[in-house]
Amino acid sequence: MKSLVRGLVLAAGMVVAAGAYARSDVRDGNAMVQPVKSDRYSIDGSTMGKAELFGYISDLKDREELTGIVLKKGGSDEQRKSIGSIARTLQLKAFEQVDGELKPIDQPAAAPAPPPIENKPEAAPAAEATPAPPAH
């Protein structure tokens, strides 16, 4: 009888541990992605490259109400670009976690104003238009 009780307690503990492990890294609609060296990422206990992460986030978006991706602190510039690219493609928001706050990443930069044209030529008088030859 004692071994049966011990077995049940052990099994219950394993179920609780498995449930905690299987918990998704989605918080408030954001997939929480941990940067790992060599342009790899960790989420939900798995480490993957950019292509695998794209597929995984796409699947998460289908299964859960996902609105964004958060790159936890410590990511490289290349990792930020990758997260931004994935988010843009999947029509999600992209953030980086900095000092406990979420800061948007991959915001399209405003187009710079064109430089002024120096020595701009005077407008030439409009020449009379000559009709184009008929096409055959």
Side-chain angles (χ1 to χ4, degrees):
M1 183 69 169
K2 284 185 178 183
S3 64
L4 179 62
V5 172
R6 250 188 242 147
L8 289 174
V9 169
L10 180 60
M14 291 177 75
V15 168
V16 169
Y21 178 75
R23 189 181 82 196
S24 176
D25 281 338
V26 175
R27 308 273 187 288
D28 298 323
N30 293 315
M32 306 299 286
V33 178
Q34 179 69 44
V36 182
K37 66 180 180 177
S38 301
D39 204 25
R40 297 188 56 81
Y41 310 87
S42 177
I43 183 170
D44 291 338
S46 297
T47 300
M48 56 194 78
K50 180 182 176 182
E52 294 91 357
L53 180 65
F54 176 86
Y56 191 81
I57 297 292
S58 179
D59 183 57
L60 270 179
K61 183 180 177 193
D62 291 342
R63 289 186 288 130
E64 301 192 26
E65 292 186 31
L66 200 63
T67 58
I69 307 171
V70 175
L71 181 64
K72 292 183 177 180
K73 65 180 178 178
S76 68
D77 287 341
E78 187 60 36
Q79 287 171 320
R80 279 187 284 283
K81 287 178 187 176
S82 294
I83 292 296
S85 173
I86 291 169
R88 187 174 47 255
T89 302
L90 295 175
Q91 298 178 338
L92 298 168
K93 296 176 185 173
F95 301 98
E96 180 179 19
Q97 188 178 38
V98 179
D99 297 327
E101 294 183 22
L102 298 183
K103 297 191 177 187
I105 57 174
D106 194 50
Q107 296 300 317
I117 299 175
E118 295 181 21
N119 299 328
K120 183 177 178 182
E122 298 281 328
E128 291 194 25
T130 56
H136 292 269

PDB file of all heavy atoms in Angstrom, residues 44-76:
ATOM      1  N   ASP A  44       9.921  28.728 -24.974  1.00  0.00           N
ATOM      2  CA  ASP A  44       9.221  27.527 -24.505  1.00  0.00           C
ATOM      3  C   ASP A  44      10.159  26.334 -24.323  1.00  0.00           C
ATOM      4  O   ASP A  44       9.815  25.197 -24.626  1.00  0.00           O
ATOM      5  CB  ASP A  44       8.078  27.156 -25.455  1.00  0.00           C
ATOM      6  CG  ASP A  44       6.938  28.146 -25.408  1.00  0.00           C
ATOM      7  OD1 ASP A  44       6.804  28.859 -24.391  1.00  0.00           O
ATOM      8  OD2 ASP A  44       6.166  28.218 -26.380  1.00  0.00           O
ATOM      9  N   GLY A  45      11.375  26.599 -23.861  1.00  0.00           N
ATOM     10  CA  GLY A  45      12.315  25.522 -23.559  1.00  0.00           C
ATOM     11  C   GLY A  45      13.065  24.971 -24.757  1.00  0.00           C
ATOM     12  O   GLY A  45      13.797  24.012 -24.620  1.00  0.00           O
ATOM     13  N   SER A  46      12.888  25.556 -25.924  1.00  0.00           N
ATOM     14  CA  SER A  46      13.579  25.086 -27.129  1.00  0.00           C
ATOM     15  C   SER A  46      14.468  26.191 -27.674  1.00  0.00           C
ATOM     16  O   SER A  46      14.108  27.360 -27.641  1.00  0.00           O
ATOM     17  CB  SER A  46      12.569  24.696 -28.206  1.00  0.00           C
ATOM     18  OG  SER A  46      11.770  23.633 -27.772  1.00  0.00           O
ATOM     19  N   THR A  47      15.611  25.792 -28.212  1.00  0.00           N
ATOM     20  CA  THR A  47      16.529  26.733 -28.848  1.00  0.00           C
ATOM     21  C   THR A  47      16.480  26.487 -30.345  1.00  0.00           C
ATOM     22  O   THR A  47      16.497  25.341 -30.791  1.00  0.00           O
ATOM     23  CB  THR A  47      17.961  26.537 -28.312  1.00  0.00           C
ATOM     24  OG1 THR A  47      17.951  26.767 -26.908  1.00  0.00           O
ATOM     25  CG2 THR A  47      18.937  27.500 -28.969  1.00  0.00           C
ATOM     26  N   MET A  48      16.395  27.573 -31.112  1.00  0.00           N
ATOM     27  CA  MET A  48      16.237  27.437 -32.558  1.00  0.00           C
ATOM     28  C   MET A  48      16.853  28.615 -33.289  1.00  0.00           C
ATOM     29  O   MET A  48      17.128  29.651 -32.695  1.00  0.00           O
ATOM     30  CB  MET A  48      14.746  27.312 -32.891  1.00  0.00           C
ATOM     31  CG  MET A  48      13.887  28.454 -32.378  1.00  0.00           C
ATOM     32  SD  MET A  48      12.110  28.137 -32.394  1.00  0.00           S
ATOM     33  CE  MET A  48      11.904  27.115 -30.953  1.00  0.00           C
ATOM     34  N   GLY A  49      17.024  28.444 -34.592  1.00  0.00           N
ATOM     35  CA  GLY A  49      17.508  29.504 -35.456  1.00  0.00           C
ATOM     36  C   GLY A  49      16.353  30.378 -35.927  1.00  0.00           C
ATOM     37  O   GLY A  49      15.194  30.164 -35.554  1.00  0.00           O
ATOM     38  N   LYS A  50      16.684  31.344 -36.802  1.00  0.00           N
ATOM     39  CA  LYS A  50      15.687  32.308 -37.260  1.00  0.00           C
ATOM     40  C   LYS A  50      14.537  31.632 -38.010  1.00  0.00           C
ATOM     41  O   LYS A  50      13.371  31.950 -37.779  1.00  0.00           O
ATOM     42  CB  LYS A  50      16.349  33.361 -38.145  1.00  0.00           C
ATOM     43  CG  LYS A  50      15.385  34.398 -38.669  1.00  0.00           C
ATOM     44  CD  LYS A  50      16.068  35.404 -39.581  1.00  0.00           C
ATOM     45  CE  LYS A  50      15.060  36.366 -40.176  1.00  0.00           C
ATOM     46  NZ  LYS A  50      15.685  37.315 -41.089  1.00  0.00           N
ATOM     47  N   ALA A  51      14.840  30.725 -38.919  1.00  0.00           N
ATOM     48  CA  ALA A  51      13.792  30.082 -39.717  1.00  0.00           C
ATOM     49  C   ALA A  51      12.852  29.260 -38.834  1.00  0.00           C
ATOM     50  O   ALA A  51      11.628  29.317 -38.986  1.00  0.00           O
ATOM     51  CB  ALA A  51      14.405  29.202 -40.801  1.00  0.00           C
ATOM     52  N   GLU A  52      13.432  28.515 -37.893  1.00  0.00           N
ATOM     53  CA  GLU A  52      12.600  27.719 -36.986  1.00  0.00           C
ATOM     54  C   GLU A  52      11.756  28.622 -36.093  1.00  0.00           C
ATOM     55  O   GLU A  52      10.589  28.333 -35.829  1.00  0.00           O
ATOM     56  CB  GLU A  52      13.458  26.796 -36.109  1.00  0.00           C
ATOM     57  CG  GLU A  52      14.194  25.718 -36.868  1.00  0.00           C
ATOM     58  CD  GLU A  52      15.588  26.152 -37.318  1.00  0.00           C
ATOM     59  OE1 GLU A  52      15.979  27.314 -37.101  1.00  0.00           O
ATOM     60  OE2 GLU A  52      16.278  25.324 -37.911  1.00  0.00           O
ATOM     61  N   LEU A  53      12.352  29.732 -35.646  1.00  0.00           N
ATOM     62  CA  LEU A  53      11.617  30.672 -34.802  1.00  0.00           C
ATOM     63  C   LEU A  53      10.438  31.263 -35.577  1.00  0.00           C
ATOM     64  O   LEU A  53       9.338  31.392 -35.041  1.00  0.00           O
ATOM     65  CB  LEU A  53      12.529  31.788 -34.297  1.00  0.00           C
ATOM     66  CG  LEU A  53      11.857  32.826 -33.405  1.00  0.00           C
ATOM     67  CD1 LEU A  53      11.385  32.177 -32.099  1.00  0.00           C
ATOM     68  CD2 LEU A  53      12.807  33.971 -33.094  1.00  0.00           C
ATOM     69  N   PHE A  54      10.649  31.591 -36.836  1.00  0.00           N
ATOM     70  CA  PHE A  54       9.566  32.113 -37.664  1.00  0.00           C
ATOM     71  C   PHE A  54       8.395  31.124 -37.694  1.00  0.00           C
ATOM     72  O   PHE A  54       7.244  31.499 -37.481  1.00  0.00           O
ATOM     73  CB  PHE A  54      10.054  32.398 -39.083  1.00  0.00           C
ATOM     74  CG  PHE A  54       8.959  32.846 -40.005  1.00  0.00           C
ATOM     75  CD1 PHE A  54       8.596  34.175 -40.068  1.00  0.00           C
ATOM     76  CD2 PHE A  54       8.278  31.935 -40.790  1.00  0.00           C
ATOM     77  CE1 PHE A  54       7.569  34.600 -40.902  1.00  0.00           C
ATOM     78  CE2 PHE A  54       7.255  32.347 -41.628  1.00  0.00           C
ATOM     79  CZ  PHE A  54       6.895  33.679 -41.686  1.00  0.00           C
ATOM     80  N   GLY A  55       8.698  29.868 -37.961  1.00  0.00           N
ATOM     81  CA  GLY A  55       7.651  28.847 -38.000  1.00  0.00           C
ATOM     82  C   GLY A  55       6.962  28.680 -36.661  1.00  0.00           C
ATOM     83  O   GLY A  55       5.736  28.539 -36.582  1.00  0.00           O
ATOM     84  N   TYR A  56       7.754  28.711 -35.597  1.00  0.00           N
ATOM     85  CA  TYR A  56       7.198  28.529 -34.254  1.00  0.00           C
ATOM     86  C   TYR A  56       6.284  29.698 -33.884  1.00  0.00           C
ATOM     87  O   TYR A  56       5.186  29.502 -33.376  1.00  0.00           O
ATOM     88  CB  TYR A  56       8.336  28.391 -33.235  1.00  0.00           C
ATOM     89  CG  TYR A  56       7.859  27.948 -31.883  1.00  0.00           C
ATOM     90  CD1 TYR A  56       7.616  26.610 -31.630  1.00  0.00           C
ATOM     91  CD2 TYR A  56       7.630  28.866 -30.862  1.00  0.00           C
ATOM     92  CE1 TYR A  56       7.166  26.194 -30.397  1.00  0.00           C
ATOM     93  CE2 TYR A  56       7.175  28.464 -29.626  1.00  0.00           C
ATOM     94  CZ  TYR A  56       6.946  27.117 -29.397  1.00  0.00           C
ATOM     95  OH  TYR A  56       6.485  26.702 -28.179  1.00  0.00           O
ATOM     96  N   ILE A  57       6.725  30.929 -34.160  1.00  0.00           N
ATOM     97  CA  ILE A  57       5.917  32.111 -33.852  1.00  0.00           C
ATOM     98  C   ILE A  57       4.649  32.104 -34.706  1.00  0.00           C
ATOM     99  O   ILE A  57       3.563  32.457 -34.240  1.00  0.00           O
ATOM    100  CB  ILE A  57       6.725  33.410 -34.060  1.00  0.00           C
ATOM    101  CG1 ILE A  57       7.913  33.472 -33.101  1.00  0.00           C
ATOM    102  CG2 ILE A  57       5.840  34.643 -33.900  1.00  0.00           C
ATOM    103  CD1 ILE A  57       7.575  33.626 -31.642  1.00  0.00           C
ATOM    104  N   SER A  58       4.767  31.701 -35.961  1.00  0.00           N
ATOM    105  CA  SER A  58       3.605  31.614 -36.837  1.00  0.00           C
ATOM    106  C   SER A  58       2.580  30.643 -36.262  1.00  0.00           C
ATOM    107  O   SER A  58       1.379  30.930 -36.247  1.00  0.00           O
ATOM    108  CB  SER A  58       4.042  31.173 -38.236  1.00  0.00           C
ATOM    109  OG  SER A  58       2.931  31.059 -39.090  1.00  0.00           O
ATOM    110  N   ASP A  59       3.048  29.506 -35.772  1.00  0.00           N
ATOM    111  CA  ASP A  59       2.154  28.527 -35.150  1.00  0.00           C
ATOM    112  C   ASP A  59       1.532  29.088 -33.870  1.00  0.00           C
ATOM    113  O   ASP A  59       0.343  28.907 -33.626  1.00  0.00           O
ATOM    114  CB  ASP A  59       2.925  27.238 -34.850  1.00  0.00           C
ATOM    115  CG  ASP A  59       2.036  26.162 -34.273  1.00  0.00           C
ATOM    116  OD1 ASP A  59       1.037  25.802 -34.931  1.00  0.00           O
ATOM    117  OD2 ASP A  59       2.316  25.692 -33.145  1.00  0.00           O
ATOM    118  N   LEU A  60       2.338  29.775 -33.059  1.00  0.00           N
ATOM    119  CA  LEU A  60       1.810  30.400 -31.833  1.00  0.00           C
ATOM    120  C   LEU A  60       0.718  31.410 -32.174  1.00  0.00           C
ATOM    121  O   LEU A  60      -0.294  31.491 -31.480  1.00  0.00           O
ATOM    122  CB  LEU A  60       2.924  31.128 -31.074  1.00  0.00           C
ATOM    123  CG  LEU A  60       3.706  30.365 -30.033  1.00  0.00           C
ATOM    124  CD1 LEU A  60       4.770  31.261 -29.410  1.00  0.00           C
ATOM    125  CD2 LEU A  60       2.833  29.773 -28.978  1.00  0.00           C
ATOM    126  N   LYS A  61       0.937  32.161 -33.247  1.00  0.00           N
ATOM    127  CA  LYS A  61      -0.053  33.165 -33.649  1.00  0.00           C
ATOM    128  C   LYS A  61      -1.378  32.489 -34.002  1.00  0.00           C
ATOM    129  O   LYS A  61      -2.446  33.013 -33.698  1.00  0.00           O
ATOM    130  CB  LYS A  61       0.466  33.973 -34.835  1.00  0.00           C
ATOM    131  CG  LYS A  61      -0.477  35.082 -35.262  1.00  0.00           C
ATOM    132  CD  LYS A  61       0.056  35.857 -36.441  1.00  0.00           C
ATOM    133  CE  LYS A  61      -0.964  36.906 -36.869  1.00  0.00           C
ATOM    134  NZ  LYS A  61      -0.658  37.477 -38.151  1.00  0.00           N
ATOM    135  N   ASP A  62      -1.303  31.319 -34.618  1.00  0.00           N
ATOM    136  CA  ASP A  62      -2.519  30.579 -34.969  1.00  0.00           C
ATOM    137  C   ASP A  62      -3.217  29.996 -33.742  1.00  0.00           C
ATOM    138  O   ASP A  62      -4.435  29.902 -33.713  1.00  0.00           O
ATOM    139  CB  ASP A  62      -2.193  29.445 -35.947  1.00  0.00           C
ATOM    140  CG  ASP A  62      -1.791  29.950 -37.320  1.00  0.00           C
ATOM    141  OD1 ASP A  62      -2.081  31.122 -37.641  1.00  0.00           O
ATOM    142  OD2 ASP A  62      -1.183  29.176 -38.081  1.00  0.00           O
ATOM    143  N   ARG A  63      -2.431  29.593 -32.731  1.00  0.00           N
ATOM    144  CA  ARG A  63      -3.001  28.931 -31.545  1.00  0.00           C
ATOM    145  C   ARG A  63      -3.419  29.891 -30.448  1.00  0.00           C
ATOM    146  O   ARG A  63      -4.316  29.580 -29.669  1.00  0.00           O
ATOM    147  CB  ARG A  63      -1.990  27.944 -30.956  1.00  0.00           C
ATOM    148  CG  ARG A  63      -1.765  26.720 -31.800  1.00  0.00           C
ATOM    149  CD  ARG A  63      -0.876  25.705 -31.104  1.00  0.00           C
ATOM    150  NE  ARG A  63       0.506  26.177 -31.056  1.00  0.00           N
ATOM    151  CZ  ARG A  63       1.251  26.202 -29.954  1.00  0.00           C
ATOM    152  NH1 ARG A  63       0.799  25.793 -28.822  1.00  0.00           N
ATOM    153  NH2 ARG A  63       2.492  26.646 -30.020  1.00  0.00           N
ATOM    154  N   GLU A  64      -2.744  31.018 -30.326  1.00  0.00           N
ATOM    155  CA  GLU A  64      -2.993  31.942 -29.225  1.00  0.00           C
ATOM    156  C   GLU A  64      -3.257  33.340 -29.768  1.00  0.00           C
ATOM    157  O   GLU A  64      -2.989  33.611 -30.925  1.00  0.00           O
ATOM    158  CB  GLU A  64      -1.799  31.964 -28.269  1.00  0.00           C
ATOM    159  CG  GLU A  64      -1.498  30.593 -27.681  1.00  0.00           C
ATOM    160  CD  GLU A  64      -0.517  30.647 -26.538  1.00  0.00           C
ATOM    161  OE1 GLU A  64      -0.426  31.693 -25.875  1.00  0.00           O
ATOM    162  OE2 GLU A  64       0.153  29.639 -26.317  1.00  0.00           O
ATOM    163  N   GLU A  65      -3.748  34.198 -28.930  1.00  0.00           N
ATOM    164  CA  GLU A  65      -3.981  35.587 -29.341  1.00  0.00           C
ATOM    165  C   GLU A  65      -2.673  36.361 -29.234  1.00  0.00           C
ATOM    166  O   GLU A  65      -2.468  37.141 -28.318  1.00  0.00           O
ATOM    167  CB  GLU A  65      -5.066  36.209 -28.466  1.00  0.00           C
ATOM    168  CG  GLU A  65      -6.430  35.596 -28.697  1.00  0.00           C
ATOM    169  CD  GLU A  65      -7.522  36.303 -27.935  1.00  0.00           C
ATOM    170  OE1 GLU A  65      -7.422  37.525 -27.717  1.00  0.00           O
ATOM    171  OE2 GLU A  65      -8.469  35.612 -27.549  1.00  0.00           O
ATOM    172  N   LEU A  66      -1.811  36.130 -30.187  1.00  0.00           N
ATOM    173  CA  LEU A  66      -0.487  36.738 -30.195  1.00  0.00           C
ATOM    174  C   LEU A  66      -0.542  38.081 -30.916  1.00  0.00           C
ATOM    175  O   LEU A  66      -1.065  38.179 -32.021  1.00  0.00           O
ATOM    176  CB  LEU A  66       0.486  35.793 -30.912  1.00  0.00           C
ATOM    177  CG  LEU A  66       1.959  35.972 -30.661  1.00  0.00           C
ATOM    178  CD1 LEU A  66       2.286  35.724 -29.195  1.00  0.00           C
ATOM    179  CD2 LEU A  66       2.753  35.013 -31.515  1.00  0.00           C
ATOM    180  N   THR A  67      -0.021  39.118 -30.263  1.00  0.00           N
ATOM    181  CA  THR A  67      -0.011  40.451 -30.867  1.00  0.00           C
ATOM    182  C   THR A  67       1.399  40.985 -31.073  1.00  0.00           C
ATOM    183  O   THR A  67       1.584  41.972 -31.776  1.00  0.00           O
ATOM    184  CB  THR A  67      -0.796  41.454 -30.003  1.00  0.00           C
ATOM    185  OG1 THR A  67      -0.217  41.489 -28.694  1.00  0.00           O
ATOM    186  CG2 THR A  67      -2.259  41.067 -29.901  1.00  0.00           C
ATOM    187  N   GLY A  68       2.400  40.366 -30.435  1.00  0.00           N
ATOM    188  CA  GLY A  68       3.755  40.880 -30.553  1.00  0.00           C
ATOM    189  C   GLY A  68       4.807  39.864 -30.187  1.00  0.00           C
ATOM    190  O   GLY A  68       4.511  38.772 -29.689  1.00  0.00           O
ATOM    191  N   ILE A  69       6.052  40.242 -30.432  1.00  0.00           N
ATOM    192  CA  ILE A  69       7.226  39.442 -30.071  1.00  0.00           C
ATOM    193  C   ILE A  69       8.136  40.326 -29.242  1.00  0.00           C
ATOM    194  O   ILE A  69       8.414  41.464 -29.625  1.00  0.00           O
ATOM    195  CB  ILE A  69       8.005  38.961 -31.311  1.00  0.00           C
ATOM    196  CG1 ILE A  69       7.085  38.237 -32.295  1.00  0.00           C
ATOM    197  CG2 ILE A  69       9.165  38.060 -30.901  1.00  0.00           C
ATOM    198  CD1 ILE A  69       7.759  37.930 -33.620  1.00  0.00           C
ATOM    199  N   VAL A  70       8.597  39.816 -28.109  1.00  0.00           N
ATOM    200  CA  VAL A  70       9.515  40.554 -27.247  1.00  0.00           C
ATOM    201  C   VAL A  70      10.851  39.833 -27.230  1.00  0.00           C
ATOM    202  O   VAL A  70      10.915  38.650 -26.887  1.00  0.00           O
ATOM    203  CB  VAL A  70       8.967  40.677 -25.805  1.00  0.00           C
ATOM    204  CG1 VAL A  70       9.992  41.345 -24.904  1.00  0.00           C
ATOM    205  CG2 VAL A  70       7.658  41.438 -25.793  1.00  0.00           C
ATOM    206  N   LEU A  71      11.912  40.532 -27.619  1.00  0.00           N
ATOM    207  CA  LEU A  71      13.270  40.013 -27.495  1.00  0.00           C
ATOM    208  C   LEU A  71      13.760  40.427 -26.118  1.00  0.00           C
ATOM    209  O   LEU A  71      13.893  41.624 -25.834  1.00  0.00           O
ATOM    210  CB  LEU A  71      14.183  40.582 -28.588  1.00  0.00           C
ATOM    211  CG  LEU A  71      15.623  40.094 -28.577  1.00  0.00           C
ATOM    212  CD1 LEU A  71      15.673  38.589 -28.855  1.00  0.00           C
ATOM    213  CD2 LEU A  71      16.440  40.847 -29.603  1.00  0.00           C
ATOM    214  N   LYS A  72      13.974  39.447 -25.258  1.00  0.00           N
ATOM    215  CA  LYS A  72      14.438  39.765 -23.909  1.00  0.00           C
ATOM    216  C   LYS A  72      15.813  40.404 -23.970  1.00  0.00           C
ATOM    217  O   LYS A  72      16.518  40.322 -24.980  1.00  0.00           O
ATOM    218  CB  LYS A  72      14.471  38.494 -23.054  1.00  0.00           C
ATOM    219  CG  LYS A  72      13.095  37.937 -22.763  1.00  0.00           C
ATOM    220  CD  LYS A  72      13.193  36.737 -21.856  1.00  0.00           C
ATOM    221  CE  LYS A  72      11.850  36.194 -21.486  1.00  0.00           C
ATOM    222  NZ  LYS A  72      11.952  35.034 -20.601  1.00  0.00           N
ATOM    223  N   LYS A  73      16.216  41.030 -22.885  1.00  0.00           N
ATOM    224  CA  LYS A  73      17.472  41.799 -22.868  1.00  0.00           C
ATOM    225  C   LYS A  73      18.672  40.958 -23.274  1.00  0.00           C
ATOM    226  O   LYS A  73      18.705  39.754 -23.051  1.00  0.00           O
ATOM    227  CB  LYS A  73      17.689  42.419 -21.494  1.00  0.00           C
ATOM    228  CG  LYS A  73      17.900  41.410 -20.388  1.00  0.00           C
ATOM    229  CD  LYS A  73      18.106  42.092 -19.068  1.00  0.00           C
ATOM    230  CE  LYS A  73      18.267  41.055 -17.967  1.00  0.00           C
ATOM    231  NZ  LYS A  73      18.515  41.664 -16.704  1.00  0.00           N
ATOM    232  N   GLY A  74      19.615  41.631 -23.889  1.00  0.00           N
ATOM    233  CA  GLY A  74      20.870  40.988 -24.256  1.00  0.00           C
ATOM    234  C   GLY A  74      20.984  40.603 -25.714  1.00  0.00           C
ATOM    235  O   GLY A  74      21.946  39.975 -26.107  1.00  0.00           O
ATOM    236  N   GLY A  75      20.028  40.971 -26.543  1.00  0.00           N
ATOM    237  CA  GLY A  75      20.071  40.611 -27.954  1.00  0.00           C
ATOM    238  C   GLY A  75      21.047  41.470 -28.734  1.00  0.00           C
ATOM    239  O   GLY A  75      21.320  42.618 -28.386  1.00  0.00           O
ATOM    240  N   SER A  76      21.561  40.915 -29.816  1.00  0.00           N
ATOM    241  CA  SER A  76      22.473  41.652 -30.696  1.00  0.00           C
ATOM    242  C   SER A  76      21.669  42.460 -31.712  1.00  0.00           C
ATOM    243  O   SER A  76      20.454  42.286 -31.855  1.00  0.00           O
ATOM    244  CB  SER A  76      23.384  40.667 -31.437  1.00  0.00           C
ATOM    245  OG  SER A  76      22.624  39.892 -32.351  1.00  0.00           O
TER     246      SER A  76
END
